[in-house]
Amino acid sequence: MNPAEQYFDFKQYTLAGSEKEKLLAKELSGLTRFHFENCTPYKNILHNLKVNEEFDFSAVEEIPFIPVRLFKTQKIQSIPDGEVLKYLTSSGTTGQQVARIALNKETSLLQVKALASIITSYIGTKRLPMIIIDSEATIKNKASLSARGAGLVGLSNFGRNHFFALDENMKLKAGELMDFLNKYKEETLLIFGFTFMVWQYFYKRLNELNLKPDLGRAVLIHSGGWKKLEEQAVSNEAFKRGLLDNFNIKSVYNFYGMVEQVGSIFMECEKEYLHTPNFAEIIIRDFNTWEILPRGETGVIQTLSILPRSYPGHSLLTEDLGTIVGKDNCGCGRKGTYFLVSGRVPKAELRGCSDTHAESVMMKEG
Amino acid sequence: MNVKSFVPVKDDNAALENLLNDDFINSRPLPPFDKVSTDFLTAASQKILAFKGIKKFPELVALAYWLRKSNLSSIINSFKKELPADEIIVPRGIAFHIAPSNVDSIFLYSWALSLLAGNMNVVRISQSAGEQLDLLLDLIYGLADEKIWEPVASRNIIITYPRDERINRLISSISDVRILWGGDETVQSIKQLPSKPAAKDISFADKFSYTVINSKKYLSLTEEDKKNLSRQFFNDAYWFDQMACSSPRFVLFCGGRKQCESSSSIFWNLLEAELKVRDNRDTIDVAMEKLVYMYESISKAEEIFPHIKPGKNKPAVLHADKTEINKFRQSCGGGFFFECYIDSLNDLINLISRKDQTLTYFGYEPGELRNFAKEVNGSGIDRIVPIGQALNFSPAWDGYSLLNELTKRVVII
């Protein structure tokens, strides 16, 4: 199976309308069949839902989804253990179950290719000196990477002379940072980090130290969600303004992605909308009926991607909330669906007789 | 060691040593069924019912009815009737209650019985108090603060604290009886702490409950009676978000295949209608929980069909074969059911496990049920009650006769 390759012949963000729809429906149908034949829990699900086992879906909307949380509660993969190249794990907090995503060589390669096609469309193909707002310890164990580690490894391919700006205690190595900036003062820089860490350990720390390096030549890419920053009342707008006002960073791109679909990321554009790449799509569903919501209405995000070949993660119902803004006509010029993410589905608090003491564990999660 | 105290004093940061002082420990317990205890509970009942907006909390209304003077009297009288002429009962002493998390009002039943028995009580309530519990604690505090209830207030302590073995150990060391609600793990962890040598534990650990419906009898009901049964079942299943130990999670239709199919179809349709009437809908978090749980369940077996998929005003119902249904004893609550068809009550015997608590039923005669319970012979099931009474607390609970457990016998010959 490698028809996926054809997606990378198209220039990123150019596939549109019925052409994209047809290509995706065909590819995702094939993936549905493949995973049905190779993953028992997935097969049980489709069988019990009485999904048409011809798997000739004519529209992306017809592709069955599974909730992303299933990867936390059971082993779901479509390849024998012997073919697993590595496992990706979600960054679960204490006491929570962790998702385990099995990658084989094919999926892993497709992820790299996919990510490259997206990122290079933003920053060009030349590798840039790169500052990573994280600690090198995060990527030490390459055989079992956390979501954060996978993100770092993935993005680090687009840089060179990588500088990890934080030590193991998440403290900014300010002196070394200034040296690095000095060394590459003529060059465009790539900065990558998780949203919260960029703000907390980079932006705030530099402010504390009263350091205001001119990073006008840098492109900052960040991801990881806004929950922690919302607690500090920092919006996307405030985030961007802070980085511009203090360090003159003009190019700041957020992206939305998850460990269950690595490589298939949704990058923010200059108009501040998130974009589906050529090989992915999103659908918004109503939690009352789980039916599809029309454009403009907010609901639960379903993400589809042609990348997952080793586990049935090609159509996932996330626990994030979002709204589709439009399709193929964003002011930034990119084709495809563009949307906004507005938060997460809260954790259910059903009452119960049991677990008298469980709540104290929950409290520690912070 | 500091705790948050509700009774006898309101204090966010009370020293436990001050609450458990010598005055408390050395107080004379009230006699069993003392007037001040019954009057206090009766006053609590009236206060609950007088609360504006109480309709929103049917669980509390049920509690208030249970605490009415007439009900308490009938509980006390039927207990006294069983006492031999040459025995009198006295309190055990100090009771330590670990209340269940989030089932706001359930601990109040066992506390009330312990109070009636004359015991002094230390009650640890859950850290994550919900709306109902807050309301209840306010009411109880308000009462305890009144001068006339001083005899009750000075002998009862209601507190909360994060999991802390030192505190549990301290309270255990002065306890004559411990009443432990909670998951198996919580119950085990407290049991390991020493209490007084002659002390005893009453454990309410993880439990599972279900419903059996005699399909033939069900089909012969009038439309109105069928609707009424759905209404009763709604209360059993949807109060406490279906997370009480006695909330039904399986529904077993018993009889011939055809009859079971028809009963099932009518039963769930009527429940759906009941949900519509009440406009009972899931919040997004619960909707997500149920959807995920459905997918988890259907991934585990080849034949476990969603009979009704979760959705607005809908119960989530999965149909499993009787040989498979026991795989699905985990529950997400909030109105999520597994149904299966069985040929006879004998089939049910094979499904029973130690953890099973309440069997709610429709369409069986007392004689049949007695024979059935004898056949089961203690391998599970502590209560068999008609649909609609799943949550009715009775002094016989989880196999204990609670007033017996909470008192001591003195023999006088």
Side-chain angles (χ1 to χ4, degrees), chain A residues 1 23 38 40 44 56 118 155 162 168 193 199 210 215 221-222 237 252 291 331:
Chain A
M1 240 196 332
L23 276 169
N38 291 283
T40 306
N44 286 340
D56 50 356
I118 293 169
L155 265 294
H162 307 89
E168 295 96 279
W199 188 256
N210 242 329
L215 294 169
I221 297 176
H222 67 104
E237 200 194 343
V252 177
E291 298 296 326

Side-chain angles (χ1 to χ4, degrees), chain B residues 160-218:
Chain B
T160 186
Y161 47 88
R163 183 175 201 146
D164 187 334
E165 201 194 286
R166 294 171 316 148
I167 296 181
N168 290 334
R169 194 177 279 278
L170 175 65
I171 303 174
S172 289
S173 71
I174 59 159
S175 298
D176 299 285
V177 54
R178 290 185 294 194
I179 296 128
L180 310 173
W181 292 91
D184 291 354
E185 215 179 297
T186 302
V187 170
Q188 293 288 12
S189 76
I190 308 271
K191 271 186 170 183
Q192 280 166 16
L193 305 175
S195 51
K196 283 190 191 166
K200 70 182 305 176
D201 291 332
I202 303 170
S203 315
F204 302 108
D206 286 337
K207 288 286 178 181
F208 191 84
S209 296
Y210 35 88
T211 296
V212 62
I213 290 172
N214 182 328
S215 296
K216 195 174 163 194
K217 294 244 175 84
Y218 179 74

Side-chain angles (χ1 to χ4, degrees), chain A residues 77-89:
Chain A
Q77 64 187 48
S78 311
I79 50 169
D81 284 345
E83 282 173 33
V84 176
L85 181 69
K86 62 183 165 192
Y87 285 102
L88 299 178
T89 58

Side-chain angles (χ1 to χ4, degrees), chain A residues 100-167:
Chain A
R100 259 164 81 85
I101 310 299
L103 300 187
N104 60 357
K105 207 168 163 202
E106 186 193 9
T107 304
S108 186
L109 282 174
L110 279 175
Q111 289 178 343
V112 171
K113 253 191 158 154
L115 192 63
S117 77
I118 293 169
I119 301 290
T120 56
S121 83
Y122 278 77
I123 64 169
T125 51
K126 213 180 123 206
R127 289 188 172 213
L128 307 173
M130 183 172 183
I131 301 170
I132 296 168
I133 315 292
D134 210 312
S135 148
E136 198 161 5
T138 312
I139 56 165
K140 267 207 177 120
N141 181 3
K142 291 216 163 118
S144 177
L145 278 173
S146 65
R148 214 169 92 204
L152 293 185
V153 169
L155 265 294
S156 64
N157 286 332
F158 307 100
R160 62 180 161 90
N161 307 94
H162 307 89
F163 169 61
F164 287 85
L166 307 180
D167 66 17

Side-chain angles (χ1 to χ4, degrees), chain A residues 48 288 350-352 356 359, chain B residues 59 101 104 127 243 312 332:
Chain A
N48 285 321
N288 283 306
L350 286 164
R351 302 184 286 169
T356 316
E359 73 253 18
Chain B
E59 296 98 327
S101 87
D104 315 294
Q127 283 278 92
M243 295 295 265
K312 188 181 173 189
C332 75

